[in-house]
Amino acid sequence: MKSFNFKSAANTKEATKLASGRATFLAGGMSLIPAMKLRLAAYSDLINIKKIKGLSGIKVSSKSLKIGATTTHAEVAASKEVGKSIPSLSMLADGIGDPQVRNRGTIGGSIANNDPAADYPSACLALNATIHTNKRKISSDKFFKGMFETDLKKGELIEAVEFEIPEKSAYAKYPNPASRYAIVGVNVAKYKNETRVSVTGAASCVFRSKELESALSSNFSVSAIDKVNISDKNLNEDIHASAEYRAHLIKVMAKKAVSSC
Amino acid sequence: MANLVGAKIERKEDKKFLTGKGRYTADINLSKQTYAYFVRSPHARAKIIKVDHSKAMKAPGVIDVFTGDSVVKDKIGGLICGWKIVSQDGKDMKCPPHPVLAKDSVNFVGDHIAVVVAETLEQAKNAAELVNVSYKVQKSVTRTDEATKFENIHEGIDNNLSFDFLLGDKGKTDEAFSKADKIVKVDIVNNRLIPNAMEPRAAIGDYNASSDELTLYTASQNPHLDRLIMSAFNAVHPEHKFRIVSPDVGGGFGSKINVYAEDVVIAYASKKIGRPVKWVAERSESFMSDNHGRDHVTHAELALNSDSKITGLKVDTIANLGAYSLVLAAVTPTYLYAPLLLGIYDIPAACCTVKGVYTNTAPTDAYRGAGRPEATYVIERIVTEAAKEIGMDQAEFRKKNFIKKFPHQQCLVHNIDSGDYDAHLDKAIELSDYKNFENRRSQSAKKGKLRGIGFSTYFEACGVAPSAVVMSIGSGVGLWESAEVRFNATGNVSVFTGAHSHGQSHDTTFAQIVGDKLGVAIENIDIVHGDTDKGPFGMGTYGSRSLAVGGTAIVKACDKIIAKGKKVAAKMLDGKPEDIDFKAGEFILKNSNKKKTIGEIAFACYLPGTFGDVNSPLPEGVEPGLIETSFFDPSNFSFPSGSHICEVEVDEETGETKLVKYTVVDDFGTVINPLIVEGQVYGGVAQGVGQALYENAHYDKSGQLTSASYMDYTMPRADNFPHIALDYTCTPATSNPLGAKGCGEAGTIAAPAAVMNAVIDAVGTDVQMPATAEKVWKALKKNGSKKAAA
Ligand SMILES: Cc1cc2nc3c(=O)[nH]c(=O)nc-3n(C[C@H](O)[C@H](O)[C@H](O)COP(=O)(O)OP(=O)(O)OC[C@H]3O[C@@H](n4cnc5c(N)ncnc54)[C@H](O)[C@@H]3O)c2cc1C
């Protein structure tokens, strides 16, 4: 790791002011620090945002669940409010990494990082989330742009993620046996007027599966998935899974999610 | 005193290890210490045109940069192959030069080119980025089965063939096959593994110019051998002025046997700059540059007669040596492999060829089991297929062919002294509830899972030693072991062993042996190892040899202590030495109540007295002190054996395999500490399961190692395992007085075959290791599974 300055921000304003030039935000550090240790990334300053009051915490209303950016995966997994309103989200948080990672990693960091195999981005897309930043509100459909790429501008800080509470939802993850990130993760959420299905791990960026959504919107059942044809075009290929296998797993995980809804 | 041998005594070393107080090489920091960072090849194969380190030399904090030119100039020798194999045509194996810093060419990703030494690690790393190496990149080969067809990667080594080894009687074997009623064939890939010791390799060189003393701290399984090799072959420093310390070492699995380039270079760099130089491998360096293991491609055939008896075995293997040949690289796939192919079956004729090939991959060498897991995998896969093809029960077919009488001279090399193979198989069948397997299979089917069962009845040759044998087949050194038992005047005991503990629990096991032998409480016995300045030269720990060979040396040294003690006791008790009995720590004069404890005798040996007292307790001609040294060179290997039975469940939709039941019954001869042996077996089985289901070192077409981190290299984890049921049978070894056979590698040797036989039974068609979910899914699909195809 190359040397850097460490600064703690007291509030959002200070944080965004400090995050100029070759500086960046530091939340749980579970993605940023490994990248710096491997010298894949280097920064002049890290701006710690964990001390900012009001950036962490969970609020539920009748329609939505709002989670502060620095809320850890462990806090989400343990939260009664989350468990009651969107149980699939507690399960998802509980399945991220290991206890150390869950105790440090944050929802804001996970989404800002947008790892193609991360779990939270799939929840944002399926649960029609709105990303609140210090500047604006971004719909999750517009937020995830590509591999490790989001709609965030330089110095823009995520403050909270607001999920729309579904009738029912489930997340099924087929973990990479080595890293235990998703080889394929399918997130299904059923709303009154639509069913949203997102897929992580399978391509360069999390995406919504139109095929699965239309099949499940007309008939929310496992058998509806049987008839869906998932193309392996544009899916990832690596030493753990071919595109063909990933396409197959998308269906298997979708069925698993629907049957546990 | 209750017997210590055979008791489940908790490990003496647990306290320091479990409380984070172990002292590993990386924990050692010396004053005026500097830091080293290696420049490594990013290419699988390239000519080096120029190494320009001028910019790095000027970088902040840099003390010096050493390159291939520096080591040539200072006449530092290259790395050696320690065991020479002779090819079928009578010619010696071919070894390419293996410089400690590459000068003209690089041959695998991670090959060592230069080292930067700086005041801080960060400065060393920053400067290493400034070392400008110009390469002419060349085409490379990584695949074992393509090596002989590829252009020569080393000058003068045609077809990249190091050796073409033959063992066995080809004529007799061909005859057996021509008469066979049935011939069974299998094709096998034994996947390449990366050892992944928890502690990465590390070295600190500390040269003192005023005394001309060089100390090297290094994570090694055999510090004495390291010193010998570095003095004699690498010309680093003369042996008498050279001390190697291998303090606590966090796992070796064979990957810390070799003298590595980094060891030599760090010792050399410290001499050059006159300050301590520290290097600790980063995990990615471990993945790239620790010796890898396995990597065979094999075709095997088994001949059977109409009575279901095995009449012959033919095996042809290509073994990937990697880019160079390391210390045990050549013996591992030959003499440690081929003789073991016979398994525990009475096979009258066999013949095996092994082609050792060079490729542009990390060098391979011994990895837990070293040759024996590969051999066991071949024989246990083909025996399983044979039983299936002739429609016979797996256990019954095995028993029909087991060796029944001992000693048994096998048709290849080994003369097995003892064993009872029916006994451990019967016990395993009982323990695993084999008779109800079909019920369990249908239970699983109800849950939508395919259940399979696999057997692996293995043996191995342990206690790598008999010097006369190993030297006659190419070893550069005899493999005896040493021990010194030193009574301190106050009655406690320091035991120095040439073996080295890096997870084997010698501190406890050896203390149990000494405690029983000498009647001393275990707390009063200290086992000392890992420092060439303490204790006699020894060969180190690998090949499950420490107890059978090193433990026996300790027993022999204890016998000498007792013999001397009897002489001293005789004088003190007014008797004759032959009238002294030694029991439970006491020397007793026959037919009397006169006795002395061993502590009193030890004290007397150090001649305590008051001023002017001239009465020595020592008889005429007996020297003061109570210290004895012994060297043990056994007459034969030892041959542990056992039965593993594995059950798996395969998910038809995803292809994922789950281990659901695992049973092990081993015959390790005498077991000194069942608790420690259990630990060795659990760990060994986990590593074997790792090979079967998860682990794989993968190089892509351009020769990049794509499994170079834990993000991509799958280690087995606790949640991959069910309870492992363990039990033992015992036929003592006859080649050492302890009757011990060795247990350190057994789990790793037997498990891959047990697991894969179970997977293949579940899937119904062939699958190669590692049986990853995708591979199994593809096999299921090919085999017509509707669920897999859906
Ligand atoms: C061993 C291990 C296993 C893991 N397994 C999984 C897994 O199974 N599934 C999974 O999804 N993830 C996994 N992760 C990743 C983990 O969830 C990370 O914690 C997460 O991706 C990043 O969160 P963080 O708070 O640690 O962010 P950091 O590492 O601190 O930051 C990541 C990036 O986000 C930026 N950032 C952070 N907070 C904000 C904000 N509020 N606004 C704008 N930008 C911000 C930072 O500047 C940085 O660029 C794993 C990580 C490890 C180390």
Side-chain angles (χ1 to χ4, degrees):
Chain A
M1 191 175 336
K2 297 199 174 173
S3 316
F4 56 87
N5 299 311
F6 180 80
K7 294 171 184 162
S8 263
N11 53 52
T12 312
K13 234 190 187 150
E14 195 189 351
T16 49
K17 211 175 114 209
L18 288 169
S20 61
R22 286 184 53 240
T24 199
F25 301 124
L26 173 73
M30 292 291 99
S31 292
L32 190 60
I33 301 295
M36 291 175 71
K37 282 176 82 173
L38 290 168
R39 295 196 166 201
L40 296 172
Y43 297 96
S44 62
D45 301 73
L46 293 192
I47 316 304
N48 177 20
I49 58 167
K50 294 268 274 193
K51 295 254 162 76
I52 301 175
K53 285 203 189 85
L55 220 50
S56 127
I58 294 162
K59 275 194 216 105
V60 226
S61 70
S62 61
K63 286 224 173 74
S64 76
L65 172 73
K66 196 169 171 188
I67 301 179
T70 57
T71 312
T72 63
H73 309 331
E75 285 162 346
V76 173
S79 156
K80 285 208 180 83
E81 288 95 330
V82 178
K84 254 191 230 149
S85 55
I86 315 181
S88 70
L89 201 57
S90 342
M91 253 191 53
L92 176 148
D94 201 38
I96 297 175
D98 49 46
Q100 289 94 324
V101 170
R102 291 195 288 276
N103 279 320
R104 289 213 53 94
T106 68
I107 187 168
S110 174
I111 288 167
N113 196 49
N114 192 20
D115 188 306
D119 298 308
Y120 267 130
S122 74
C124 292
L125 280 188
L127 296 164
N128 197 21
T130 304
I131 321 295
H132 296 248
T133 77
N134 61 322
K135 294 218 179 83
R136 56 191 170 136
K137 292 182 193 171
I138 312 168
S139 146
S140 59
D141 285 330
K142 302 229 168 78
F143 185 81
F144 302 103
K145 293 271 186 193
M147 192 159 138
F148 296 108
E149 201 191 321
T150 66
D151 197 42
L152 289 173
K153 303 278 175 311
K154 172 89 204 142
E156 187 172 2
L157 183 76
I158 299 173
E159 293 183 333
V161 185
E162 188 173 7
F163 299 95
E164 187 187 335
I165 297 173
E167 284 176 8
K168 48 189 179 178
S169 65
Y171 179 56
K173 170 179 180 177
Y174 193 77
N176 175 318
S179 72
R180 306 228 171 156
Y181 274 82
I183 279 189
V184 165
V186 176
N187 218 316
V188 176
K190 186 176 180 329
Y191 291 96
K192 204 161 169 209
N193 300 320
E194 63 170 344
T195 294
R196 295 172 67 102
V197 181
S198 63
V199 179
T200 188
S204 59
C205 182
V206 63
F207 64 92
R208 282 173 64 183
S209 166
K210 297 286 169 240
E211 297 87 345
L212 287 168
E213 286 188 355
S214 66
L216 290 171
S217 292
S218 51
N219 173 13
F220 194 83
S221 74
V222 170
S223 57
I225 297 171
D226 274 329
K227 294 174 202 106
V228 176
N229 181 34
I230 303 281
S231 155
D232 62 10
K233 234 179 98 196
N234 299 328
L235 296 189
N236 292 343
E237 288 250 345
D238 55 35
I239 59 171
H240 303 286
S242 63
E244 182 199 0
Y245 183 52
R246 279 194 161 89
H248 169 74
L249 283 179
I250 290 174
K251 277 177 77 171
V252 176
M253 290 300 114
K255 284 186 211 169
K256 199 172 158 194
V258 168
S259 66
S260 56
C261 257
Chain B
M1 198 184 310
N3 272 354
L4 294 168
V5 168
K8 281 195 174 193
I9 292 173
E10 282 187 15
R11 303 201 315 159
K12 289 178 78 173
E13 49 272 74
D14 273 346
K15 191 168 172 189
K16 70 174 173 181
F17 290 143
L18 298 182
T19 56
K21 295 286 191 266
R23 190 162 178 268
Y24 300 89
T25 301
D27 294 321
I28 296 168
N29 289 299
L30 305 174
S31 83
K32 298 199 74 195
Q33 173 176 293
T34 65
Y35 295 83
Y37 193 76
F38 282 84
V39 176
R40 293 177 188 277
S41 171
H43 304 296
R45 181 166 170 242
K47 292 270 174 245
I48 297 177
I49 295 164
K50 194 172 172 214
V51 180
D52 176 3
H53 59 277
S54 54
K55 269 202 194 126
M57 282 297 284
K58 285 183 217 130
V62 169
I63 298 158
D64 214 335
V65 179
F66 301 102
T67 63
D69 283 331
S70 336
V71 290
V72 168
K73 201 171 109 237
D74 289 314
K75 300 194 169 63
I76 296 298
L79 301 174
I80 61 157
C81 171
W83 195 313
K84 204 181 62 188
I85 292 302
V86 178
S87 288
Q88 300 191 39
D89 61 8
K91 291 201 179 112
D92 282 355
M93 67 179 281
K94 298 190 182 91
C95 296
H98 190 182
V100 292
L101 291 172
K103 194 169 150 296
D104 304 314
S105 67
V106 285
N107 288 295
F108 69 99
V109 169
D111 210 346
H112 22 86
I113 297 170
V115 66
V116 178
V117 181
E119 296 292 344
T120 71
L121 181 58
E122 193 192 353
Q123 288 170 335
K125 280 185 90 163
N126 289 343
E129 287 177 2
L130 301 174
V131 175
N132 190 1
V133 186
S134 342
Y135 299 97
K136 181 170 179 284
V137 178
Q138 294 171 290
K139 281 191 296 178
S140 60
V141 62
T142 59
R143 283 183 60 119
T144 313
D145 53 358
E146 288 172 0
T148 56
K149 295 163 225 148
F150 192 75
E151 66 189 53
N152 294 357
I153 62 175
H154 295 292
E155 223 179 279
I157 303 185
D158 289 339
N159 305 320
N160 298 312
L161 190 65
S162 176
F163 54 80
D164 186 1
F165 171 84
L166 169 79
L167 187 71
D169 187 330
K170 191 166 178 310
K172 223 177 135 193
T173 310
D174 284 342
E175 199 191 318
F177 273 80
S178 69
K179 288 189 191 147
D181 292 303
K182 169 132 196 93
I183 294 174
V184 181
K185 300 176 184 179
V186 294
D187 285 292
I188 279 171
V189 176
N190 202 293
N191 44 327
R192 176 183 279 247
L193 304 176
I194 301 175
N196 277 299
M198 200 182 285
E199 180 209 15
R201 289 191 288 118
I204 307 173
D206 181 18
Y207 180 63
N208 182 335
S210 65
S211 60
D212 192 32
E213 280 168 340
L214 174 66
T215 303
L216 180 71
Y217 301 87
T218 177
S220 169
Q221 299 177 218
N222 30 253
H224 296 273
L225 267 183
D226 279 13
R227 182 175 70 160
L228 173 65
I229 292 171
M230 281 200 238
S231 299
F233 297 97
N234 307 117
V236 171
H237 207 62
E239 208 174 352
H240 68 302
K241 287 287 193 185
F242 193 3
R243 174 183 178 203
I244 294 194
V245 183
S246 297
D248 288 330
V249 173
F253 311 116
S255 73
K256 291 171 181 168
I257 294 173
N258 271 279
V259 167
Y260 281 92
E262 292 86 353
D263 295 315
V264 174
V265 170
I266 293 300
Y268 160 78
S270 174
K271 275 181 82 171
K272 292 293 282 187
I273 69 163
R275 287 172 62 181
V277 179
K278 181 171 187 172
W279 169 76
V280 180
E282 295 183 352
R283 186 54 70 177
S284 52
E285 288 183 288
S286 306
F287 275 104
M288 279 190 290
S289 70
D290 286 3
N291 71 242
H292 292 182
R294 322 279 192 252
D295 202 343
H296 289 193
V297 174
T298 293
H299 175 77
E301 300 191 3
L302 193 73
L304 304 177
N305 66 16
S306 57
D307 185 31
S308 311
K309 282 272 218 185
I310 303 170
T311 53
L313 174 70
K314 259 199 277 198
V315 178
D316 297 300
T317 292
I318 308 172
N320 193 337
L321 304 178
Y324 306 98
S325 63
L326 295 180
V327 168
L328 302 176
V331 69
T332 298
T334 53
Y335 283 110
L336 299 184
Y337 166 72
L340 277 292
L341 286 164
L342 295 171
I344 54 180
Y345 310 102
D346 190 355
I347 302 179
C351 127
C352 168
T353 67
V354 182
K355 288 187 167 70
V357 297
Y358 293 113
T359 61
N360 298 111
T361 59
T364 59
D365 202 309
Y367 170 55
R368 198 170 188 176
R372 291 157 289 162
E374 296 91 316
T376 303
Y377 190 60
V378 173
I379 184 71
E380 286 306 300
R381 280 285 303 112
I382 202 165
V383 159
T384 300
E385 287 311 308
K388 258 197 256 172
E389 285 188 25
I390 61 170
M392 199 163 161
D393 174 74
Q394 290 295 338
E396 200 186 323
F397 179 71
R398 282 174 164 77
K399 282 190 189 171
K400 175 130 198 169
N401 284 285
F402 278 166
I403 295 162
K404 296 275 166 28
K405 283 201 206 100
F406 299 90
H408 172 89
Q409 176 61 56
Q410 290 190 308
C411 72
L412 289 176
V413 172
H414 290 301
N415 189 320
I416 305 175
D417 61 336
S418 66
D420 182 347
Y421 303 145
D422 278 9
H424 53 66
L425 181 53
D426 283 338
K427 210 167 185 176
I429 283 173
E430 184 70 35
L431 193 61
S432 68
D433 188 26
Y434 177 52
K435 65 174 188 298
N436 289 313
F437 171 72
E438 288 305 330
N439 288 347
R440 292 194 292 280
R441 195 184 322 244
S442 19
Q443 291 295 320
S444 299
K446 276 183 204 149
K447 292 186 295 175
K449 308 273 179 187
L450 301 167
R451 196 176 183 112
I453 189 162
F455 282 73
S456 176
T457 47
Y458 78 96
F459 92 122
E460 52 161 331
C462 284
V464 177
S467 298
V469 180
V470 297
M471 294 180 79
S472 75
I473 56 176
S475 175
V477 66
L479 291 173
W480 41 266
E481 196 47 271
S482 69
E484 180 181 306
V485 174
R486 189 187 293 178
F487 254 99
N488 302 310
T490 50
N492 45 35
V493 185
S494 305
V495 179
F496 299 81
T497 169
H500 185 280
S501 185
H502 32 278
Q504 290 84 352
S505 322
H506 294 169
D507 291 18
T508 309
T509 307
F510 288 175
Q512 285 175 254
I513 296 171
V514 174
D516 270 4
K517 233 12 232 180
L518 300 180
V520 176
I522 196 165
E523 315 70 83
N524 293 334
I525 302 164
D526 197 30
I527 307 297
V528 185
H529 61 80
D531 186 339
T532 57
D533 264 13
K534 298 178 185 170
F537 188 98
M539 290 298 170
T541 287
Y542 36 83
S544 303
R545 67 192 302 275
S546 297
L547 180 60
V549 192
T552 302
I554 293 174
V555 169
K556 288 184 63 194
C558 288
D559 286 337
K560 290 186 187 173
I561 292 270
I562 295 165
K564 179 168 178 179
K566 282 186 178 172
K567 288 187 200 159
V568 178
K571 166 139 191 225
M572 292 174 80
L573 300 173
D574 290 327
K576 289 194 209 128
E578 54 273 27
D579 291 333
I580 304 288
D581 286 332
F582 180 70
K583 228 184 116 191
E586 290 176 334
F587 292 94
I588 305 157
L589 181 63
K590 273 191 186 122
N591 306 321
S592 82
N593 59 2
K594 291 208 274 185
K595 58 186 177 189
K596 288 278 177 197
T597 66
I598 195 164
E600 290 172 304
I601 296 295
F603 192 55
C605 284
Y606 285 91
L607 298 183
T610 47
F611 291 107
D613 179 4
V614 292
N615 280 332
S616 169
L618 299 181
E620 204 51 45
V622 171
E623 295 170 2
L626 192 55
I627 301 176
E628 294 292 351
T629 301
S630 190
F631 291 76
F632 180 60
D633 194 354
S635 54
N636 195 357
F637 294 86
S638 59
F639 302 97
S641 65
S643 296
H644 288 216
I645 302 177
C646 172
E647 291 179 30
V648 299
E649 274 183 353
V650 171
D651 183 310
E652 236 180 310
E653 284 183 320
T654 62
E656 186 172 325
T657 298
K658 216 174 154 28
L659 217 60
V660 289
K661 195 167 165 64
Y662 205 99
T663 308
V664 182
V665 178
D666 290 304
D667 177 359
F668 293 141
T670 309
V671 168
I672 308 290
N673 185 331
L675 197 63
I676 285 168
V677 171
E678 262 168 42
Q680 292 292 320
V681 175
Y682 287 142
V685 168
Q687 258 170 322
V689 171
Q691 165 158 37
L693 298 181
Y694 309 112
E695 297 183 44
N696 197 32
H698 183 269
Y699 285 93
D700 70 10
K701 286 208 176 76
S702 66
Q704 293 297 323
L705 182 64
T706 49
S707 59
S709 84
Y710 291 127
M711 294 295 281
D712 289 304
Y713 189 89
T714 312
M715 296 295 285
R717 303 191 200 178
D719 64 359
N720 298 131
F721 291 88
H723 168 71
I724 297 174
L726 287 190
D727 209 340
Y728 308 99
T729 57
C730 177
T731 58
T734 60
S735 52
N736 68 70
L738 288 164
K741 291 185 170 178
C743 71
E745 296 161 297
T748 320
I749 288 168
V755 176
M756 290 308 294
N757 283 333
V759 171
I760 292 165
D761 183 44
V763 174
T765 183
D766 197 25
V767 184
Q768 299 286 359
M769 296 193 288
T772 58
E774 177 167 12
K775 260 197 227 162
V776 171
W777 171 70
K778 284 196 166 139
L780 283 164
K781 225 166 68 152
K782 221 174 107 192
N783 211 28
S785 157
K786 283 209 186 83
K787 278 193 189 162

